[in-house]
Amino acid sequence: MLQKRQRGKNTSDGGDEAVDVNRLSLRKRGQVHLSAGSSPSGGYSEVSVRKDGKYAVVGTKWGITGTVLVDVSDSASPKQVHYLGNSNDAPNLDVKFDSRNGLYHRAIEKTWSGNFEIVDYGFSAGTPTNPTVVGSVSDGKSHNVRPHPTKPVLYTMNYGLESNGFDVYDVSDPTSPRKLGEYGPQGAGHDINVDPERDLLCCAYQSGRFIGFIIYDVSDPRNPTEIGRFDYTKRKSYDEANVGEEAFGAAHHGHFDPRRDLLVLGDERPQGVPGGKHVFDIGWKNGSLKNPVPVGFTVSPNARRMEDEYAERFDWTGHHFDIVPKGKATLVASADWHEGVVVYDITDPTTPTPVGRYRTDDGVSDIRVNEEVAQLGKAPMAWKTEYNEERDFIVASDTFTGLYTFELTS
C-alpha cells in the first residue's frame, strides 16, 4: 500500500478554514542582496529552506560560483551567514539541505568532470560561519540534486542524452558518498521530487529517448521501482500550439499535492511558445499512479511568445515552484522568470488560475550586475520558490536581486 494516509478524492482533506483566494495577497517580508565578493553582482539560482525554517541556502550560475547560506529565522530580516566559493571554478546551480541538520548538497554543473559536493556547516567538521566541503563525487555531471527528505539517500540528475535519467547515492557517511545504481531511460532527466509519506518519486525528462515524467515507488529509497509514466511525445506539442493552449514538451519538474492525489508538472521552454503548468490526476478522480490523466493547464499571467534573442530566452515560461496548502484552498507559488513570483489557485485542479504576483526586481538599480547576468535582459528573473510549512512562509530567489521572503495574507 503506497498511500500511507487517507485522502479524499474531491476535497482538500486538511484544514477547515475557508480561504477567499481572491483576497489573498503575496506580501513581501524581507530581502537580502547576496554577495559572493565585495558587492552584489547577480548570478543566483536555486534556493532551498531547511525544514525548521531557520536557514536558506542559495546556489549560483551566471558568472559566479559557490553557495550562500542565509539566516531566515527572522523572515523579515534575512542575513547572509556565509559564502563558500568553488575551487573548481564551476557553478553550483542546485543546492538542497540534507535531512540531517548541518549538511547541504550542491551540484557542480560543468562540461567536464564534476558531479556534486557535500558541505558541512555544523554537522561535524564545519560551522555556519566556517563551512567546509567534506564529500564529493567527480564522476559524471549533475544538473539538479534531491536528497530523500528522511533518509541519507541522494538522487542526482544526469542531464545527459547518453546516460540514464538519475543516479542514487548512499550518503550515510557524508565524507564518502557511495553510488548504488542508475535508473530511468536514457535522456536528459531534469529534476526529481519525493513525497516521503506516500513513498513516491517523480522524475521529469526534458529531452532524449523519453520526454515526460515517470513515477517511482521509493518505499525502498535506495532502489526505486517504476510505477507509471506519462509520455509527452504522444500529445500536442508547443510547436503546434498558440500561447495559452494546453501543450506538452520539455518536462521540467513536478510536485505531488500533499493532500490530494494530484501531481503538478511544469514545462520549461527557452524559445517560442512558453511552457505552462499541468495538473495531473493520479488517483483524485479517473487517473492513477500507473495512468496519470491531465486535468488542468495554465500559463503565466503575461505569457507571450519568446523570440530568438538571448535576452528573451526563458522570459515567459514556467520555472521552479512549490505547493502551498492554505486552509481548504491549495495554491502554487511559482518563480516564473520575467513575471517574478506568481501565485496560482489550484483548489479546483481543472481550472488553475493566477491570483497574485510580485515583481522581484527590488533594488536592482543598486546592483552592478556581472556581464553574464546582464545578457539575460532586465529583472525580474525569478528562479525558484519554496514553501516552509513549519513557519508558513515562502522564499524565492531572483537571478538579479537575491533572496526574498513572502507570506500569504488577507
Side-chain angles (χ1 to χ4, degrees), residues 34-171:
L34 306 172
S35 176
S38 57
S39 62
S41 64
Y44 311 108
S45 56
E46 300 276 357
V47 63
S48 178
V49 189
R50 205 167 78 175
K51 186 176 181 180
D52 62 5
K54 182 176 181 179
Y55 287 110
V57 61
V58 180
T60 57
K61 181 172 172 67
W62 309 104
I64 59 174
T65 66
T67 44
V68 185
L69 186 71
V70 182
D71 183 344
V72 290
S73 55
D74 178 0
S75 62
S77 183
K79 294 179 175 60
Q80 180 170 324
V81 178
H82 77 233
Y83 163 70
L84 179 63
N86 190 314
S87 59
N88 297 320
D89 192 30
N92 299 110
L93 176 142
D94 192 23
V95 286
K96 298 286 192 313
F97 283 107
D98 192 89
S99 59
R100 299 160 291 183
N101 284 348
L103 296 171
Y104 66 77
H105 305 266
R106 60 184 194 174
I108 303 172
E109 187 175 67
K110 208 68 174 173
T111 52
W112 56 79
S113 294
N115 198 320
F116 67 88
E117 294 175 327
I118 302 176
V119 176
D120 184 333
Y121 69 96
F123 180 72
S124 178
T127 67
T129 55
N130 188 27
T132 182
V133 174
V134 293
S136 63
V137 170
S138 59
D139 224 10
K141 174 188 174 184
S142 285
H143 183 67
N144 283 310
V145 296
R146 174 66 60 176
H148 189 278
T150 62
K151 306 294 183 183
V153 174
L154 181 69
Y155 306 104
T156 67
M157 306 306 302
N158 289 324
Y159 207 53
L161 297 179
E162 303 304 319
S163 59
N164 294 84
F166 65 98
D167 296 341
V168 180
Y169 285 86
D170 185 321
V171 290

Side-chain angles (χ1 to χ4, degrees), residues 7-305:
R7 283 172 173 75
K9 295 212 175 231
N10 299 298
T11 63
S12 295
D13 265 11
D16 295 326
E17 178 190 358
V19 175
D20 183 354
V21 295
N22 295 314
R23 296 185 62 190
L24 279 179
S25 173
L26 183 66
R27 177 170 173 257
K28 176 183 167 184
R29 291 279 295 158
Q31 180 189 4
V32 58
H33 286 169
L34 306 172
S35 176
S38 57
S39 62
S41 64
Y44 311 108
S45 56
E46 300 276 357
V47 63
S48 178
V49 189
R50 205 167 78 175
K51 186 176 181 180
D52 62 5
K54 182 176 181 179
Y55 287 110
V57 61
V58 180
T60 57
K61 181 172 172 67
W62 309 104
I64 59 174
T65 66
T67 44
V68 185
L69 186 71
V70 182
D71 183 344
V72 290
S73 55
D74 178 0
S75 62
S77 183
K79 294 179 175 60
Q80 180 170 324
V81 178
H82 77 233
Y83 163 70
L84 179 63
N86 190 314
S87 59
N88 297 320
D89 192 30
N92 299 110
L93 176 142
D94 192 23
V95 286
K96 298 286 192 313
F97 283 107
D98 192 89
S99 59
R100 299 160 291 183
N101 284 348
L103 296 171
Y104 66 77
H105 305 266
R106 60 184 194 174
I108 303 172
E109 187 175 67
K110 208 68 174 173
T111 52
W112 56 79
S113 294
N115 198 320
F116 67 88
E117 294 175 327
I118 302 176
V119 176
D120 184 333
Y121 69 96
F123 180 72
S124 178
T127 67
T129 55
N130 188 27
T132 182
V133 174
V134 293
S136 63
V137 170
S138 59
D139 224 10
K141 174 188 174 184
S142 285
H143 183 67
N144 283 310
V145 296
R146 174 66 60 176
H148 189 278
T150 62
K151 306 294 183 183
V153 174
L154 181 69
Y155 306 104
T156 67
M157 306 306 302
N158 289 324
Y159 207 53
L161 297 179
E162 303 304 319
S163 59
N164 294 84
F166 65 98
D167 296 341
V168 180
Y169 285 86
D170 185 321
V171 290
S172 301
D173 179 356
T175 67
S176 183
R178 183 167 58 91
K179 186 174 178 178
L180 302 176
E182 300 178 4
Y183 294 85
Q186 283 190 344
H190 182 271
D191 202 11
I192 273 179
N193 267 303
V194 179
D195 181 339
E197 294 192 22
R198 287 181 281 187
D199 290 330
L200 297 176
L201 178 154
C202 175
C203 181
Y205 288 79
Q206 287 202 314
S207 60
R209 294 186 180 181
F210 175 76
I211 301 173
F213 65 87
I214 302 177
I215 298 174
Y216 291 85
D217 172 2
V218 285
S219 51
D220 177 359
R222 293 168 173 79
N223 186 28
T225 304
E226 181 176 333
I227 301 173
R229 60 174 65 189
F230 187 90
D231 189 343
Y232 272 21
T233 62
K234 298 178 180 180
R235 301 284 177 149
K236 183 177 182 178
S237 75
Y238 286 97
D239 293 333
E240 302 169 337
N242 295 318
V243 176
E245 292 181 348
E246 183 184 55
F248 299 85
H252 186 260
H253 83 293
H255 281 274
F256 295 100
D257 186 322
R259 301 188 299 196
R260 300 177 294 178
D261 292 323
L262 299 168
L263 173 70
V264 184
L265 204 297
D267 302 335
E268 181 194 43
R269 285 169 50 84
Q271 295 159 322
V273 174
K277 294 176 180 63
H278 304 270
V279 183
F280 286 89
D281 176 351
I282 57 171
W284 172 74
K285 193 172 183 181
N286 298 318
S288 66
L289 294 172
K290 186 176 181 180
N291 182 34
V293 175
V295 294
F297 179 76
T298 188
V299 294
S300 60
N302 297 296
R304 65 194 71 168
R305 186 176 178 86

